[in-house]
């Protein structure tokens, strides 16, 4: 049924990650699909304008944040009970919604599985990232709580 499942990972949210991964692993097994984990490092470049931070400092921060995120994703990959050749991962710098959607296009994903916490009044029915992904995706999105 599925060939490539994209799972956006918030490395600071273990509960969301674990729930999404359970579903991804199950669906990948029954579909013989590949799973691609993805993490977006938030874009802090707007702070450089607001607070006059030096570009080199921000660039160094971005590189370190991406390297740390890749290390964390490697740990998550080790937990997945699938053949290692069926699991990949990537990290990008930017808006989570936009980067998830562009990554889905790049890897030709046919399903996005995203974790979402219980909503509150500010996020209405879904978390803000999950809501943005659902609202703009042109492929199926499974929201897991």
């Amino acid at each position: 049924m599925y060939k490539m499942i994209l799972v956006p990972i918030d490395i600071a949210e273990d509960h969301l990650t674990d729930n999404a991964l359970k579903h991804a692993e199950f669906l990948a097994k029954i579909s013989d699909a590949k799973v691609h984990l993805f993490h977006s490092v938030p874009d802090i470049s707007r702070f450089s304008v607001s607070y006059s931070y030096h570009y080199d400092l921000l660039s160094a921060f971005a590189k370190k944040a991406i390297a740390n995120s890749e290390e964390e994703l490697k740990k998550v990959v080790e937990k997945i009970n699938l053949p290692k050749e069926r699991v990949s991962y990537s990290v990008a710098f930017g808006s989570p919604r936009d980067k998830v959607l562009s990554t889905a296009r790049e890897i030709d994903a046919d399903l996005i599985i995203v974790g979402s916490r219980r909503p509150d009044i500010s996020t209405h029915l879904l978390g803000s990232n999950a809501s943005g992904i659902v609202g703009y995706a042109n492929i199926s999105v499974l929201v897991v709580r």
Side-chain angles (χ1 to χ4, degrees):
M1 173 178 255
Y2 299 110
K3 294 178 184 167
M4 176 61 78
I5 301 170
L6 174 61
V7 185
I9 300 290
D10 184 342
I11 58 176
E13 294 277 355
D14 289 343
H15 179 69
L16 296 180
T17 296
D18 291 345
N19 286 341
L21 286 177
K22 287 176 194 172
H23 285 76
E25 188 177 303
F26 175 78
L27 290 173
K29 284 180 179 177
I30 64 172
S31 299
D32 199 31
K34 294 180 180 179
V35 174
H36 185 86
L37 307 180
F38 173 77
H39 177 72
S40 176
V41 176
D43 184 2
I44 61 162
S45 62
R46 63 182 160 218
F47 294 117
S48 66
V49 174
S50 301
Y51 298 104
S52 301
Y53 286 125
H54 195 271
Y55 175 78
D56 291 338
L57 179 63
L58 287 176
S59 179
F61 171 79
K63 287 178 185 175
K64 181 73 171 170
I66 288 173
N68 287 346
S69 297
E70 288 174 343
E71 287 302 315
E72 291 299 317
L73 281 181
K74 285 179 188 177
K75 293 175 188 175
V76 175
V77 166
E78 293 302 317
K79 296 180 191 177
I80 298 174
N81 186 18
L82 289 171
K84 297 308 170 202
E85 63 272 5
R86 288 179 38 203
V87 181
S88 58
Y89 65 92
S90 63
V91 176
F93 187 68
S95 158
R97 181 198 71 196
D98 295 343
K99 292 298 181 179
V100 166
L101 297 174
S102 66
T103 300
R105 284 189 299 274
E106 290 168 14
I107 66 170
D108 200 25
D110 46 8
L111 176 66
I112 300 171
I113 300 179
V114 61
S116 180
R117 64 181 61 80
R118 287 204 50 93
D120 61 20
I121 194 67
S122 66
T123 56
H124 307 298
L125 297 176
L126 297 173
S128 58
N129 287 328
S131 178
I133 292 167
V134 168
Y136 289 92
N138 59 2
I139 60 172
S140 295
V141 179
L142 172 60
V143 179
V144 178
R145 295 211 174 138

